[in-house]
Amino acid sequence: MASEAPISLGTPAYRRLTLAMLFAGFSTFSLLYSVQPLLPLFAAQYGLTAEAASLAVSLATGPLAIGILFAGFVSDRVGRRPLMIAAMFAAGALTVAAAVVPGWSGLLVLRFLTGVALAGVPAVAMAYVAEEVDAGAVGAAMGLYIAGSALGGMAGRLVVSVVADLEGWRWALASVGIAGLAMAEAFRRLSPPSRNFTPSVGRPGRCCAVPDRCSLTARCRCCIWRRSC
């Protein structure tokens, strides 16, 4: 498949992509850390120690860290953008489900699955941008993604704290999940379809179909096959 011209800085497509990446970063880290202010409430409701309550955070961050190692290879087959869209919608839906699940064990299972789902965003965000954007404009696009990540981590905690004080932790968690679903839809609408992505079918060399725009995961596989990107 012949590659198309990359998206250039200052174009409408570039502005849409950078806004989409801002939403992706914001959603990922707001969903990931939104339960942190709720740990004392979990401990009080379920009769937990502080260490046990903290599992609501660690059972999401741990799977995310491990899932990143595999999500890149999945995206080489299904595509960067489709994986990111699916990950964002799944994480938002799982967070809403965590708000209504009746028991502590069920909440932990849903937090674990949320971490697995969220791995699909940071694992391939750089690859998606690098494949679609002009090399000189990649830094600005990724800068907005990182800014969104930082803002999301802070805003998620803040919103949850305020809503929990007013309506309880279940409404607080549900509000973050619904916001995550809204940002997933915004990402789907704003992010341009992949134009320079070549699916991998597990054969050597396929990852280097666009040699000058080789992704990080493609580079790893090219090294395994002793080919150069």
Side-chain angles (χ1 to χ4, degrees):
M1 182 179 68
S3 61
E4 298 186 27
I7 298 172
S8 300
L9 182 69
T11 61
Y14 183 81
R15 288 191 289 271
R16 289 170 62 88
L17 182 142
T18 53
L19 186 57
M21 295 307 296
L22 179 69
F23 283 131
F26 192 101
S27 175
T28 299
F29 286 88
S30 63
L31 293 172
L32 183 63
Y33 291 111
S34 58
V35 299
Q36 205 165 43
L38 303 177
L39 299 185
L41 301 180
F42 294 156
Q45 176 160 343
Y46 295 108
L48 306 170
T49 63
E51 292 78 8
S54 68
L55 288 173
V57 177
S58 58
L59 278 180
T61 55
L64 182 145
I66 296 172
I68 284 175
L69 301 176
F70 303 97
F73 292 96
V74 175
S75 77
D76 286 341
R77 289 157 177 77
V78 304
R80 323 293 186 205
R81 180 175 176 270
L83 181 62
M84 293 179 71
I85 291 172
M88 292 175 68
F89 272 111
L94 288 165
T95 301
V96 173
V100 298
V101 70
W104 176 242
S105 297
L107 191 149
L108 291 182
V109 169
L110 289 169
R111 287 295 295 167
F112 176 88
L113 294 175
T114 299
V116 173
L118 286 175
V121 180
V124 301
M126 179 66 182
Y128 172 59
V129 172
E131 287 173 351
E132 304 304 324
V133 174
D134 183 75
V138 169
M142 288 307 299
L144 275 177
Y145 168 76
I146 294 170
S149 301
L151 290 172
M154 292 185 293
R157 295 178 177 98
L158 178 62
V159 169
V160 161
S161 298
V162 172
V163 178
D165 284 342
L166 297 174
E167 301 293 340
W169 70 263
R170 292 188 182 275
W171 280 106
L173 206 53
S175 65
V176 174
I178 292 170
L181 290 172
M183 282 182 276
E185 178 62 16
F187 180 86
R188 187 188 69 83
R189 290 174 179 267
L190 291 169
S191 58
S194 297
R195 301 181 300 173
N196 294 307
F197 169 73
T198 301
S200 169
V201 293
R203 293 199 298 269
R206 285 299 300 273
C207 61
C208 300
V210 189
D212 60 330
R213 307 188 68 74
C214 219
S215 72
L216 296 177
T217 52
R219 289 187 187 280
C220 293
R221 190 163 57 257
C222 287
C223 292
I224 292 172
W225 288 106
R226 299 183 183 277
R227 297 176 66 91
S228 64
C229 286

